[in-house]
Amino acid sequence: MHTLPLYKNPSLSIDRRVEDLLSRMTLEEKIAQLYQIWARPDNIDEVKAFIRQYGVGSRILAGSNLAGSGHEKALEIEEINEYQRIAVEESRLGIPILFGRDVIHGYRTIFPIPLGMAATFDPGLVEQAYTIAAREASSAGVNWSFAPMLDIARDPRWGRIAEGSGEDPYLASQMARAAVLGFQGKDLSDPERILACAKHYIGYGGAEGGRDYNTAEITDVTLRNIYLPPFKAAVDAGVGSVMSAFLDINGEPASGSHYLLTELLKGELGFTGFVISDWASVSELVHHRVVEDERGAARLAFTAGVDMEMVTQTYIRYLKDLVESGEVSLERIDDAVQRILTIKFRLGLFEHPYANATKASETLFSPAHQQVARQIARESMVLLKNHGDLLPLKKTGLKIAVMGPLVNQRAALLGSWTLDGLLHETQTIAEAMQQAAPDAVRLAPSDALQDEMLAEAMKADVITFFAGESEGRSGENHNVASIDLPAGQEELIEAIARLGKPLVVVVLAGRPLNLSRVARCADAILYAWHPGSMGAAAIADLLFGEEAPSGKLPASFPRTTGQIPIHYNFNSTGRSFSVVGETSPLEYAYVDRYLDVPGSPLYPFGFGLSYTMFSLSGLAIDRPEIHPDEVICVSVQVTNTGSRAGTETVQCYVQDCVASITRPVRELKGFKRVHLQPGESQIVTFQLGAEELSFYGTDRRRHLEPGTFKVWVGTDSTASLGTTFQVIKS
Ligand code: NOJ
């Protein structure tokens, strides 16, 4: 009688199945599970032969569908299934492959760039977006996304600020959780869910000068209090994989750091999934010059805690020898393999290894998905200025000129890392504006020269100018030394403004740009990021008032490049008291430290206007003091005092007044989006307890230090409505 091996029996526990499978594997088969292979046109036969002989942990799907992107290959389900078939049917143990791809802000339906999604301050909607991304990606055979990117970024020169949630640890943590839950759901074996990957662990956004891949020097206290929280949130939400970063941090490459990977991540945070290197970040340990050769790189990364190697081959070349020489233990091999196999079982891959092409055709870019993309794009856009209530525009009775370098673009709507978005499914701004208000909109010809644009503008009642960046000006290794608008745009906007007509500037961008000159001459500014497949329609929705803008800035907007880094949660200095200290205990101000520019940003973190007005009143705390194990409840009434419906995001900031180490002047610890009709009020409450009020000290432990705390509520990070409470010793 033929009996199934235990590991193939789905009624057994995953631990039991892993244990059984591990006991059957040769060392070569184990090491193959630690490898993420890259199949290219020139090595297909070799890759297939490898999988047949040993199996493989994962295959990276690195090609792009985006027409004209120059990437080498589109994704085809049949092709993915063929590799899976070889692994499942032709390799000795039949271990299925994880197919990993960069599904960063949507698969086929593209959502706003993650920085834009963070601007929604709406984790529920962001979770929905990632749920859709998972559904679409899984239908196409992808079962692992290299997202979310959780790197805190305080430097908008860095192109990858586009891929994360901006400068704030609390907001980024909420977004991290939303993304992980969206991708993975409650049960990874749900065929519509995929494995998420928290990246790039850790400190990658701290790259000096905003130069990607660069060194970062981050004190342990800052690392733990600022850079770690989103990763902790992802781990707490059950993220199954983490990617180790490229960079050298404090003199130690992150992909070779036992402290960061094994002690902090797997030990302290209790991460039970597996760590994958970033692309070649293991072999690049040689370039960092912390090891002599690739054998040394394999030894260092693997013993540090990198379980799977992306693309490069140091593990499959050297791990066997390293085990035989005693430099790497078999226990560590088994630990890494067990982590990877556990995820494969949890994903249900042994039972359902193949993708279903019929499902893909029904799912991809479905009308329901487009609807969510349009909603999240609307919520992501930030109204920065609206002088004289110029916006919203009327759809009739006005001549509205539509012009600017972004008007006829498609890829710039999508943003970076959109391997599977399709340009022909992405409306241009010109198309969307015309569709929304055919009687009013006057399009400048797409090849209009600047003098022709001016002439066209002269004939209009209102001018809408679409400025900003191409999709390729941000993203990986696409950094800029100046965050001014691309060359020539400011001059053109100023020339148009001199016509004296009402001027709306809509900016598409992957980062905070310097809007100082635009803000001086435009009447209204809408910051639209790279808003995704439905972004153009969403812009038209907002400009014509189908909905009021409600986005809030997830990063401070500097007045000039030279102000970088500037973030709202800076530490108190020895010379800040004269400004903030004496006058009022609740006052909060940036100190002017430059002779040529004020100390404050142009637009602060958390800022964003609506078409209506809100007022906050009746701030109350439910008790004046708490013990460290108690929670204080802060409440405030928010009222829509304008004449239109709108959404406000009420934000709660906290300061630990005296602490054993210098602490930020304030930190975001809660936010709530509230939709209100004109005249309507609502009470918003925030709970503050040990989680919100404690911090990591120099001893690497969390402390909640008794004493006075200040709390402010408001509509951006300069909130001034505040009170104090005490945390008293137990
Ligand atoms: C390198 C990037 O840093 C990382 O974010 C991405 O997931 C991998 N390449 C795979 O494409």
Side-chain angles (χ1 to χ4, degrees):
M1 197 181 76
H2 180 74
T3 49
L4 267 183
L6 296 185
Y7 74 91
K8 293 204 168 162
N9 181 349
S11 63
L12 294 178
S13 74
I14 288 179
D15 287 353
R16 186 73 195 89
R17 296 175 77 185
V18 170
E19 186 191 319
D20 176 65
L21 179 50
L22 210 51
S23 73
R24 295 167 191 268
M25 294 170 80
T26 64
L27 181 56
E28 287 85 349
E29 284 166 340
K30 290 178 180 174
I31 292 169
Q33 288 301 312
L34 311 179
Y35 178 33
Q36 182 175 63
I37 207 162
W38 183 27
R40 302 177 309 271
D42 62 325
N43 71 354
I44 288 174
D45 292 342
E46 213 180 295
V47 165
K48 289 185 175 169
F50 183 92
I51 297 173
R52 215 169 266 124
Q53 189 168 3
Y54 303 110
V56 78
S58 171
R59 179 186 157 197
I60 186 166
L61 302 167
S64 172
N65 276 333
L66 198 61
S69 66
H71 290 255
E72 81 282 7
K73 201 164 183 324
L75 270 198
E76 280 161 24
I77 295 180
E78 298 70 25
E79 198 249 18
I80 294 177
N81 281 343
E82 170 60 7
Y83 281 80
Q84 192 69 298
R85 197 191 57 72
I86 294 172
V88 171
E89 292 177 22
E90 297 183 18
S91 77
R92 190 176 75 90
L93 295 164
I95 304 174
I97 302 172
L98 275 169
F99 292 99
R101 187 160 179 82
D102 288 287
V103 181
I104 305 299
H105 49 113
Y107 181 75
R108 173 83 154 266
T109 306
I110 302 297
F111 302 102
I113 52 169
L115 190 62
M117 286 205 268
T120 66
F121 278 62
D122 190 345
L125 192 57
V126 170
E127 183 180 334
Q128 264 189 57
Y130 284 105
T131 302
I132 289 170
R135 186 181 303 141
E136 292 193 351
S138 62
S139 79
V142 176
N143 45 35
W144 180 17
S145 168
F146 305 130
M149 188 192 96
L150 304 181
D151 299 303
I152 297 293
R154 294 171 155 185
D155 191 333
R157 292 172 295 183
W158 189 52
R160 301 199 84 168
I161 192 172
E163 290 178 59
S165 295
E167 75 186 31
D168 182 64
Y170 181 84
L171 176 63
S173 299
Q174 304 301 312
M175 293 297 152
R177 186 183 146 75
V180 171
L181 293 180
F183 276 129
Q184 298 193 164
K186 290 204 170 54
D187 176 6
L188 258 187
S189 73
D190 177 341
E192 296 198 340
R193 302 291 182 163
I194 64 176
L195 178 65
C197 183
K199 72 185 188 185
H200 307 82
Y201 186 80
I202 188 174
Y204 184 46
E208 273 179 5
R211 296 186 286 275
D212 207 4
Y213 314 131
N214 208 12
T215 299
E217 301 221 339
I218 302 171
T219 65
D220 200 58
V221 159
T222 302
L223 188 83
R224 284 167 174 266
N225 288 312
I226 303 290
Y227 290 85
L228 189 62
F231 286 96
K232 180 171 187 311
V235 170
D236 291 346
V239 73
S241 72
V242 169
M243 188 185 293
S244 66
F246 284 128
L247 87 163
D248 160 72
I249 171 167
N250 303 333
E252 192 182 41
S255 294
S257 171
H258 189 268
Y259 164 58
L260 293 174
L261 296 169
T262 299
E263 292 162 48
L264 182 51
L265 178 66
K266 294 179 178 175
E268 260 186 70
L269 298 193
F271 172 62
T272 56
F274 68 89
V275 174
I276 179 159
S277 74
D278 201 344
W279 186 291
S281 72
V282 175
S283 65
E284 285 174 10
L285 293 174
V286 178
H287 304 170
H288 282 287
R289 295 189 291 108
V290 293
V291 290
E292 270 187 16
D293 51 23
E294 294 205 336
R295 187 178 185 281
R299 178 183 40 72
L300 180 62
F302 190 66
T303 52
V306 176
D307 301 302
M308 186 185 281
E309 180 177 8
M310 184 186 285
V311 174
T312 47
Q313 302 186 333
T314 74
Y315 282 13
I316 58 163
R317 287 196 188 135
Y318 300 107
L319 272 185
K320 183 161 184 269
D321 182 50
L322 285 162
V323 169
E324 283 163 3
S325 70
E327 288 162 88
V328 162
S329 70
L330 253 185
E331 290 72 50
R332 170 69 189 114
I333 297 272
D334 285 351
D335 164 55
V337 177
Q338 167 265 323
R339 287 170 179 270
I340 292 161
L341 293 178
T342 300
I343 294 289
K344 291 187 174 185
F345 280 111
R346 284 183 53 202
L347 278 165
L349 281 184
F350 285 79
E351 286 70 49
H352 307 286
Y354 300 110
N356 171 349
T358 327
K359 198 156 147 238
S361 63
E362 289 162 11
T363 305
L364 299 177
F365 205 59
S366 72
H369 294 182
Q370 292 175 37
Q371 204 42 50
V372 175
R374 188 165 177 164
Q375 182 57 26
I376 196 163
R378 285 195 287 236
E379 288 192 15
S380 73
M381 295 174 192
V382 186
L383 183 65
L384 295 174
K385 183 174 180 187
N386 194 18
H387 183 67
D389 287 340
L390 173 57
L391 293 175
L393 301 172
K394 290 206 294 282
K395 286 185 176 179
T396 50
L398 276 180
K399 288 199 282 290
I400 303 173
V402 173
M403 57 183 53
L406 276 295
V407 160
N408 294 300
Q409 300 299 315
R410 293 182 204 279
L413 269 297
L414 298 183
S416 75
W417 282 122
T418 50
L419 303 181
D420 302 283
L422 296 182
L423 292 182
H424 70 82
E425 288 175 348
T426 310
Q427 243 189 348
T428 65
I429 288 166
E431 290 163 354
M433 289 292 283
Q434 192 146 50
Q435 194 177 336
D439 298 339
V441 160
R442 305 278 189 278
L443 295 174
S446 55
D447 56 354
L449 294 174
Q450 299 185 349
D451 57 347
E452 292 171 324
M453 283 196 219
L454 250 74
E456 196 59 40
M458 194 61 137
K459 291 186 239 153
D461 300 315
V462 178
I463 301 151
T464 59
F465 188 93
F466 294 84
E469 303 180 306
S470 72
E471 73 290 355
R473 200 167 180 258
S474 60
E476 185 177 345
N477 204 19
H478 289 124
N479 320 306
V480 288
S482 159
I483 60 162
D484 292 352
L485 283 169
Q489 293 190 16
E490 285 157 338
E491 286 78 1
L492 186 53
I493 292 168
E494 284 166 347
I496 290 174
R498 282 195 292 272
L499 299 178
K501 311 254 177 178
L503 172 61
V504 180
V505 176
V506 178
V507 184
L508 273 72
R511 57 165 61 78
L513 290 173
N514 169 16
L515 298 178
S516 295
R517 283 171 69 178
V518 176
R520 277 196 289 272
C521 66
D523 299 284
I525 305 175
L526 182 70
Y527 213 76
W529 316 105
H530 296 296
S533 313
M534 303 302 289
I539 288 172
D541 290 344
L542 296 184
L543 293 185
F544 292 110
E546 299 298 332
E547 197 173 285
S550 60
K552 295 282 183 175
L553 295 181
S556 308
F557 271 45
R559 295 173 187 276
T560 177
T561 303
Q563 269 187 325
I564 298 170
I566 184 164
H567 42 88
Y568 83 93
N569 50 357
F570 53 89
N571 281 0
S572 297
T573 72
R575 291 281 168 109
S576 40
F577 71 98
S578 56
V579 182
V580 297
E582 303 299 311
T583 44
S584 152
L586 301 178
E587 202 174 324
Y588 164 66
Y590 292 84
V591 181
D592 294 334
R593 289 270 182 254
Y594 295 109
L595 297 177
D596 51 351
V597 67
S600 59
L602 184 64
Y603 300 111
F605 173 85
F607 176 75
L609 303 169
S610 174
Y611 292 155
T612 186
M613 302 286 290
F614 297 91
S615 77
L616 298 185
S617 60
L619 172 65
I621 45 178
D622 67 343
R623 61 192 84 180
E625 51 186 42
I626 54 167
H627 289 105
D629 58 349
E630 292 174 335
V631 166
I632 191 164
C633 185
V634 182
S635 60
V636 69
Q637 174 165 310
V638 51
T639 306
N640 180 345
T641 55
S643 54
R644 294 179 52 103
T647 299
E648 182 55 283
T649 299
V650 184
Q651 302 158 40
C652 177
Y653 294 87
V654 168
Q655 183 195 81
D656 183 349
C657 295
V658 179
S660 53
I661 57 168
T662 41
R663 300 282 299 130
V665 288
R666 57 175 55 186
E667 297 173 286
L668 182 70
K669 290 298 175 184
F671 58 81
K672 296 245 163 78
R673 280 176 64 91
V674 191
H675 184 76
L676 295 174
Q677 298 301 322
E680 196 188 352
S681 293
Q682 194 175 311
I683 305 275
V684 173
T685 57
F686 300 100
Q687 313 265 353
L688 303 172
E691 168 84 18
E692 290 76 24
L693 304 175
S694 62
F695 61 88
Y696 281 103
T698 48
D699 57 359
R700 296 182 174 170
R701 290 175 194 280
R702 282 194 85 80
H703 298 269
L704 202 189
E705 296 181 343
T708 306
F709 284 76
K710 292 179 186 171
V711 56
W712 297 266
V713 292
T715 57
D716 65 48
S717 57
T718 65
S720 60
L721 182 61
T723 185
T724 61
F725 64 91
Q726 306 290 320
V727 173
I728 50 174
K729 286 203 179 85
S730 292

